[in-house]
Amino acid sequence: MSTGRAGRVARSTHRPHAETAGGSLTGVPVRTFLRTADGVSVDARYEPGAGARDLAFVVAHGFTGDADRPHVRRVARALARHGAVATFSFRGHGASGGLSTVGDREVLDLAAVVAWVRELGHSRVATVGFSMGGSVVLRHAGLDGGTDAVVSVSAPARWFYRGTAPMRRLHWLVTRPAGRLVGRYGLRTRIHRRRWDPVPLSPVEAVPRIAPTPLLIVHGERDGYFPLDHPRMLAEAAGDHGELWLEPEMGHAENAAPEELLHRIGHWAAGRAG
């Protein structure tokens, strides 16, 4: 869904064009806009946490989410018990600029936020992504690194999967003009009309490049979008440097992740990052 492959991620510094609220490690929340390496404006917010002061989580939401959605705020509140939290809206979502490329150039959005929290003074950064965001944290870590731990929840292993009804609906939303209108006006998601050319590195191809950074793959056994062969494929590609958690009662992504699981993820990242 982009005009070109993102390739190796360039780390971009932030250029705020909105008022910010002050310093980070002093315990003051910050909200600003960041500029990605390809010039897209990304809405980002930072909140200090109650855990380790050197650790920051960067939360990458799923397709049609954004930084202000209730399910993203719930994830942020849970992880804030273990460290500071940065959330943001991917391009084409919420108040961010640009158009969604459904996981391709979104690695540049994530790179801008990771660079920002480093500038705010955090020596350890863990990325936590859900669904599309789960694929983005894998591709970002595999292409560029720059993180100390990676958690991918409910992510696909490969592109163009249409084996479930929800994924067939998503492909209609992304590939058809009528679907993109529904995305824009019904789901507040602006989708690029062009197909991927070339096809970007897939999540399962990115995973072997992540080592030795600690990697956690989480997937619900009741996931209606991606069956269990997706997380198992990712775990096999990860080898000894990855862990796989299959959650028996969980469905798909942020909405389905129970509080207890989010706290386990926070505890895992706090212990593995760095």
Side-chain angles (χ1 to χ4, degrees), residues 1-2 63-64 92 99-102 162 169-196:
M1 290 293 305
S2 79
F63 186 60
T64 74
L99 299 172
S100 174
T101 66
V102 200
R162 302 184 188 217
R169 289 194 294 269
L170 187 145
H171 277 83
W172 174 84
L173 189 76
V174 170
T175 61
R176 300 301 179 90
R180 290 191 292 271
L181 283 174
V182 171
R184 177 180 287 270
Y185 296 108
L187 301 172
R188 291 167 36 193
T189 303
R190 304 171 306 280
I191 306 165
H192 205 298
R193 70 179 186 276
R194 298 188 181 180
R195 296 180 181 271
W196 285 334

Side-chain angles (χ1 to χ4, degrees), residues 10 12 21 38 45 48 79 85 105 131 133 138 149 156 211 232 254 259:
S12 60
D38 63 342
R45 61 192 291 180
L79 294 179
V85 180
R105 300 192 71 84
S131 192
L138 295 175
R232 287 170 175 153
E254 302 102 317
E259 292 288 320

